[in-house]
Amino acid sequence: THPDLSGTWNMVSNENFEPYMQRLDVDFATRKVAKLLKPQKVIEQKGDSFTIRTLSSLRNYLVEFTVGKEFEEDTKGLDNRKCMSTVSWDNDRLTCVQKGEKKNRGWTHWLEGGELHLELCCEDQVCKQVFRKA
Ligand code: VLZ
């Protein structure tokens, strides 16, 4: 049985977000504002079905998927690219591979000490975020 990531989570730390956004070609002005944000994650997990909302004053981002089922992801409002994304469980970590123009793109979520962790990768950059239950 897998961990339950469901809940509303508030960001408590965000490392290396700016270089990650740079690799995604997010423009300077957006990066300056975005790196000051403390987005909330709202996760609904029902069996293998997930809804993940990333909520902030600047932008909201929604992704819905079923574990193990590839889907076309449109990163609208972020870097506005299309990816073929697949999410799977890697032991207790929920891992997404985002195939597309950018190499080594994806993210991993896991629970640690009651906190929600997230690593976001693009090319050679890794952004590390931690969230605490609201
Ligand atoms: O999360 O991919 O939880 O999609 C930045 C939001 C979110 C702030 C970064 C606005 C991507 C930035 C979050 C404007 C450019 C992400 C996945 C894992 C689910």
Side-chain angles (χ1 to χ4, degrees), residues 17 20-21 26 30 34 37 39 41 43 52 54 56 58-59 61-63 73 77-79 98 107 109 118 120 129:
F17 187 43
Y20 167 77
M21 288 191 286
V26 174
T30 304
L37 301 173
K41 273 303 163 192
I43 302 182
I52 302 182
T54 306
S56 77
L58 178 65
R59 222 147 286 171
Y61 185 67
L62 165 72
V63 67
E73 181 173 6
L78 302 178
D79 61 311
Q98 296 170 309
W107 52 259
H109 269 297
L118 172 62
L120 297 157
Q129 304 182 339

Side-chain angles (χ1 to χ4, degrees), residues 6-110:
S6 295
T8 299
W9 303 87
N10 293 328
M11 179 181 278
V12 293
S13 64
N14 190 5
E15 285 168 32
N16 214 46
F17 187 43
E18 159 102 72
Y20 167 77
M21 288 191 286
Q22 235 175 102
R23 286 302 178 276
L24 292 174
D25 310 306
V26 174
D27 67 85
F28 180 86
T30 304
R31 291 202 312 270
K32 294 303 137 188
V33 178
K35 74 173 186 183
L36 300 175
L37 301 173
K38 299 236 176 290
Q40 214 174 33
K41 273 303 163 192
V42 180
I43 302 182
E44 284 175 41
Q45 177 177 347
K46 291 200 174 125
D48 278 344
S49 296
F50 280 81
T51 302
I52 302 182
R53 288 184 174 79
T54 306
L55 306 176
S56 77
S57 50
L58 178 65
R59 222 147 286 171
N60 296 327
Y61 185 67
L62 165 72
V63 67
E64 292 179 282
F65 55 86
T66 301
V67 172
K69 240 178 99 172
E70 188 175 54
F71 63 100
E72 187 180 66
E73 181 173 6
D74 183 347
T75 64
K76 210 170 167 53
L78 302 178
D79 61 311
N80 302 300
R81 287 190 170 86
K82 300 270 177 83
C83 303
M84 291 312 292
S85 299
T86 307
V87 183
S88 41
W89 285 110
D90 174 12
N91 295 306
D92 282 353
R93 293 180 180 223
L94 188 71
T95 295
C96 180
V97 176
Q98 296 170 309
K99 274 193 290 170
E101 188 190 337
K102 295 292 179 181
K103 296 301 160 206
N104 192 38
R105 181 172 186 177
W107 52 259
T108 299
H109 269 297
W110 70 96

